[in-house]
Amino acid sequence: MRPGGVRRGTAGWAAACAFLLTALPALSACGADRTGTRAGSGGAARATAASARIPDVGDRWQSRIPADSRQVVAVYGDDEDSAKATVVLYTKRGRLWERVRDWRGHNGKNGWTPDHHVGDERSPVGVFTLSDAGGVLADPGTRLPYTRSDDFAAPRWWERSHWHDFDYVIAIDYNRVPGNPPDDPERPAGEEKGGGIWLHLDHGSGTSACVSMPRPAMEYLLRTLDPARHPVVLMGDRAALKA
């Protein structure tokens, strides 16, 4: 999450990761476990197990995955009040969901909520489309619309460990207008509901509401997610996702 409510330059860093109206110098903004390793067994291998459902997800959320979606980024939070999570990419082949890769990551430093508001430092539980990407660095070869701008850069008064958080970002379509750059400040549901919630690079601890993961994970997702396959993120703590 980026602080403030005013855009800088052409893109503006005011909208990143949950859109706080105020910020403190010690803010741990949206977040690098830079290991790039896979949770449990090492990052690069493909899994072979497949299922007709996204595992460990109850009917409530399973039914909200769009029928035409063939890519799901599932974020399993360790606990309602935990900032730690496992990020899994599933691809649908025929009628079955295949677990492709997984990584350890982080979510909001205070955990998860079904009713996210500005400043609660919790990530919203739900299913959201993934439509747009961007960052400080050049497009690594994504099919998603990509906006490159230095305006994504984290302010240098943030802790040094956060400076590269927004080298790459993928906008989570929570309270935003799909089709606009990730840092677009428009909030259709109102400012109090927050916004600017992204997938972005990890800095090793909780975020303000975003989901963060290692650089290799972000690079892989950017090169793999395909608008033609209607990618979504399904995210929440494990107990909420099972509901």
Side-chain angles (χ1 to χ4, degrees), residues 90-208:
Y90 294 98
T91 296
K92 197 168 191 180
R93 304 183 188 282
R95 296 176 56 253
L96 300 180
W97 289 102
E98 176 185 340
R99 184 182 182 116
V100 180
R101 294 197 184 188
D102 57 87
W103 307 267
R104 287 296 288 173
H106 290 91
N107 49 268
K109 63 183 67 175
N110 289 334
W112 297 90
T113 178
D115 187 23
H116 174 69
H117 285 77
V118 168
D120 63 15
E121 297 189 332
R122 290 179 178 268
S123 297
V125 178
V127 178
F128 310 101
T129 53
L130 299 171
S131 305
D132 304 281
V136 175
L137 300 181
D139 181 350
T142 185
R143 296 180 180 90
L144 297 171
Y146 190 92
T147 301
R148 197 218 73 79
S149 174
D150 291 338
D151 291 326
F152 283 100
R156 287 309 185 251
W157 51 265
W158 284 8
E159 295 178 12
R160 183 179 291 271
S161 61
H162 298 71
W163 287 4
H164 294 284
D165 283 7
F166 311 128
D167 282 358
Y168 295 123
V169 307
I170 299 172
I172 294 172
D173 292 339
Y174 168 87
N175 198 18
R176 70 179 300 269
V177 179
N180 288 347
D183 61 348
D184 180 77
E186 186 172 352
R187 303 286 177 258
E191 301 292 344
E192 71 283 354
K193 295 294 290 182
I197 299 179
W198 299 343
L199 303 176
H200 67 69
L201 271 63
D202 192 44
H203 56 242
S205 61
T207 72
S208 294

Side-chain angles (χ1 to χ4, degrees), residues 34-105:
R34 295 184 175 84
T35 62
T37 58
R38 187 179 163 140
S41 62
R46 288 176 64 93
T48 57
S51 171
R53 297 168 59 93
I54 301 296
D56 299 316
V57 176
D59 291 343
R60 176 187 181 188
W61 298 113
Q62 202 88 40
S63 66
R64 298 192 186 187
I65 299 172
D68 59 358
S69 179
R70 294 295 181 268
Q71 292 178 320
V72 170
V73 179
V75 183
Y76 298 95
D78 284 7
D79 183 78
E80 180 182 7
D81 299 318
S82 173
K84 296 180 179 180
T86 299
V87 182
V88 184
L89 174 64
Y90 294 98
T91 296
K92 197 168 191 180
R93 304 183 188 282
R95 296 176 56 253
L96 300 180
W97 289 102
E98 176 185 340
R99 184 182 182 116
V100 180
R101 294 197 184 188
D102 57 87
W103 307 267
R104 287 296 288 173

